[in-house]
Amino acid sequence: MRFLVLLALFAPLTSVLSEKATGVLIPSEYTYLLPTPFEGPQSVDGNFSTNYINTVTANASINSLFKIALNATYYALDKEFYEILGGEAPDIQLVQMRSTDFAYEAGAWDYDTNQVWFASENTSPPTYVSILNLNTNEIATPDIPGLRSINPNGGYYFQGKMYFAVLGNQSVPNGAPGIYAVDTATYEVTPILNSWFGEALESVDDLTWVKCGAEPSQPNLFFSTLDLGILGHNGFAGTSLSDAVFRFSPLTNSLQGVISRSDIVEPNGVRSDATGKYLFVTGDAAPFSLGGGAGISFGSSVIYRFTLDDECFPVNKRLIGTVRSYADGLHIDDYGRVWTGEFDGIVVRSPTGKVLGVFNAEALQDRKGSPLANFAIAGDKLVILAVDRLYVLQLGQNVTSARTGTQ
């Protein structure tokens, strides 16, 4: 195996620090009924301090509760959240903090070796991949030549391979976006797809393998593409195609769009549930505006659930949740709960969309850089990718498993 020399760029600023997580229970009534007058955080582009608990009301006791929540690791909005945590004070470890934004995307759990693969922040390309060994809490940053300079982003582990969605890079000859498979033992990279009828794909953001339909033994690969230029990111791949969710079928050797821009303006996270019955997709406003309701943006920041029919096509679109900012990272646990990375932090919803609780970005980040985007749920552990730092929080449930392959 080849590893990058850990130069100052990758040098950790901290060793493992363990402590107990703190939290508060906020009555769910406060999410829809507050004493007047009240003032919520301003939804201004570029202002990441838009957490719900920054709300100021006419009631001093509610304000005090919100102030306590601002400094807490989490805030619960339903007692079911404590079942996930296994109590009120789960263990949390700050595994590493660096001077670079090394922990941002993917959050893909290799359950065969108990490792989590993740990618660095994509506003300072090229991105690179690191690997957390959950058995030792050690982080390695391997040299993977096949992914070098092409900006790996979303990730998914399936049948012994780590698959990466690649954003692309206009400045290198092999910079087309696509899907690439990485051998987790040798780091050999195999391209899976990189075009559609001669057209370069838009930046590929996220992906999931699904065993569904009448042939569950023949899995299908779903992935999202989006225009990063409209979000202000330059240097990635250009294309004439529009945003879409595609499905790749190895059985029929075909790639086709299955969710169009008219259904979801800017698809982002994509995951299936453990049964293979549903496909979940997050969508953003474009151009991005918090909540999607201001300026010249169109669409909205949402979480949709589709039913996968007998032919493994997504049908029966249902809105599961609207989002205060936008939902980036998306994971579905074995209980059907929906976990998303948002400006507020890691938001956990019930299968029907009720917000159960939030792992609070105000306490987990310094809030000076990029917002929290992704994470991993790995068995009974939550791996928090907090941009320039990485935490592992011990959960009270095995929320994902190798048996189901959820991640």
Side-chain angles (χ1 to χ4, degrees), residues 8 14 38 85 109 144 200 233-234 254 319 322 333 393:
T14 66
F38 63 88
L85 297 175
W109 180 38
I144 307 178
H233 302 313
N234 299 315
S254 64
L319 181 64
T322 52
D333 70 20
L393 186 141

Side-chain angles (χ1 to χ4, degrees), residues 140-157:
T141 302
D143 179 16
I144 307 178
L147 295 181
R148 196 182 296 153
S149 300
I150 59 175
N151 295 303
N153 195 62
Y156 196 85
Y157 181 72

Side-chain angles (χ1 to χ4, degrees), residues 186-197:
T186 65
Y187 300 147
E188 180 181 356
V189 176
T190 302
I192 303 301
L193 56 89
N194 62 9
S195 58
W196 183 80
F197 289 94

Side-chain angles (χ1 to χ4, degrees), residues 303-359:
I303 306 166
Y304 284 115
R305 188 190 76 186
F306 295 82
T307 300
L308 292 170
D309 68 12
D310 289 343
E311 296 178 304
C312 207
F313 278 95
V315 297
N316 300 330
K317 181 173 73 172
R318 176 180 174 183
L319 181 64
I320 289 293
T322 52
V323 180
R324 295 185 67 257
S325 53
Y326 74 88
D328 196 334
L330 171 65
H331 302 266
I332 313 299
D333 70 20
D334 285 357
Y335 298 83
R337 293 178 297 231
V338 182
W339 302 54
T340 51
E342 304 177 20
F343 281 12
D344 286 26
I346 299 170
V347 181
V348 184
R349 292 175 173 84
S350 73
T352 56
K354 179 183 179 180
V355 177
L356 303 175
V358 179
F359 295 96

Side-chain angles (χ1 to χ4, degrees), residues 100 182 282:
T100 56
V182 182
T282 64

Side-chain angles (χ1 to χ4, degrees), residues 88-388:
E88 296 183 2
D91 292 330
I92 186 171
Q93 295 180 318
L94 173 59
V95 175
Q96 198 170 106
M97 183 167 66
R98 297 183 186 176
S99 59
T100 56
D101 296 341
F102 74 108
Y104 187 72
E105 263 291 0
W109 180 38
D110 173 355
Y111 39 79
D112 289 322
T113 62
N114 203 26
Q115 296 182 329
V116 171
W117 291 49
F118 57 95
S120 60
E121 213 275 343
N122 60 28
T123 57
S124 300
T127 63
Y128 54 89
V129 171
S130 297
I131 305 170
L132 167 67
N133 185 325
L134 283 169
N135 300 315
T136 64
N137 274 341
E138 295 179 347
I139 297 177
T141 302
D143 179 16
I144 307 178
L147 295 181
R148 196 182 296 153
S149 300
I150 59 175
N151 295 303
N153 195 62
Y156 196 85
Y157 181 72
F158 186 69
Q159 295 183 346
K161 304 286 186 182
M162 187 62 69
Y163 290 82
F164 274 99
V166 165
L167 301 175
N169 186 344
Q170 289 178 322
S171 65
V172 297
N174 66 332
I179 305 289
Y180 293 77
V182 182
D183 186 301
T184 57
T186 65
Y187 300 147
E188 180 181 356
V189 176
T190 302
I192 303 301
L193 56 89
N194 62 9
S195 58
W196 183 80
F197 289 94
E199 292 281 356
L201 297 168
E202 285 193 308
S203 290
V204 183
D205 187 81
D206 201 8
L207 73 158
T208 188
W209 281 97
V210 187
K211 297 179 180 180
C212 61
E215 295 285 345
S217 63
Q218 300 294 331
N220 287 263
L221 172 64
F222 291 85
F223 62 92
S224 59
T225 65
L226 75 167
D227 179 5
L228 286 175
I230 202 169
L231 299 177
H233 302 313
N234 299 315
F236 299 104
T239 179
S240 61
L241 297 178
S242 61
D243 300 355
V245 173
F246 285 84
R247 189 195 69 177
F248 171 64
S249 170
L251 178 64
T252 61
N253 275 326
S254 64
L255 173 65
Q256 60 189 117
V258 290
I259 301 174
S260 73
R261 186 177 175 86
S262 61
D263 278 315
I264 300 180
V265 170
E266 199 162 70
N268 195 314
V270 56
R271 279 294 185 274
S272 69
D273 70 332
T275 68
K277 181 179 179 181
Y278 298 116
L279 184 73
F280 294 79
V281 184
T282 64
D284 303 333
F288 174 64
S289 178
L290 293 179
I296 60 170
S297 66
F298 55 97
S300 56
S301 295
V302 290
I303 306 166
Y304 284 115
R305 188 190 76 186
F306 295 82
T307 300
L308 292 170
D309 68 12
D310 289 343
E311 296 178 304
C312 207
F313 278 95
V315 297
N316 300 330
K317 181 173 73 172
R318 176 180 174 183
L319 181 64
I320 289 293
T322 52
V323 180
R324 295 185 67 257
S325 53
Y326 74 88
D328 196 334
L330 171 65
H331 302 266
I332 313 299
D333 70 20
D334 285 357
Y335 298 83
R337 293 178 297 231
V338 182
W339 302 54
T340 51
E342 304 177 20
F343 281 12
D344 286 26
I346 299 170
V347 181
V348 184
R349 292 175 173 84
S350 73
T352 56
K354 179 183 179 180
V355 177
L356 303 175
V358 179
F359 295 96
N360 178 27
E362 295 281 353
L364 296 168
Q365 295 184 275
D366 64 10
R367 309 297 276 173
K368 294 179 181 178
S370 297
L372 188 151
N374 219 324
F375 54 94
I377 43 178
D380 62 352
K381 291 181 171 59
L382 170 65
V383 179
I384 303 170
L385 306 177
V387 188
D388 67 343

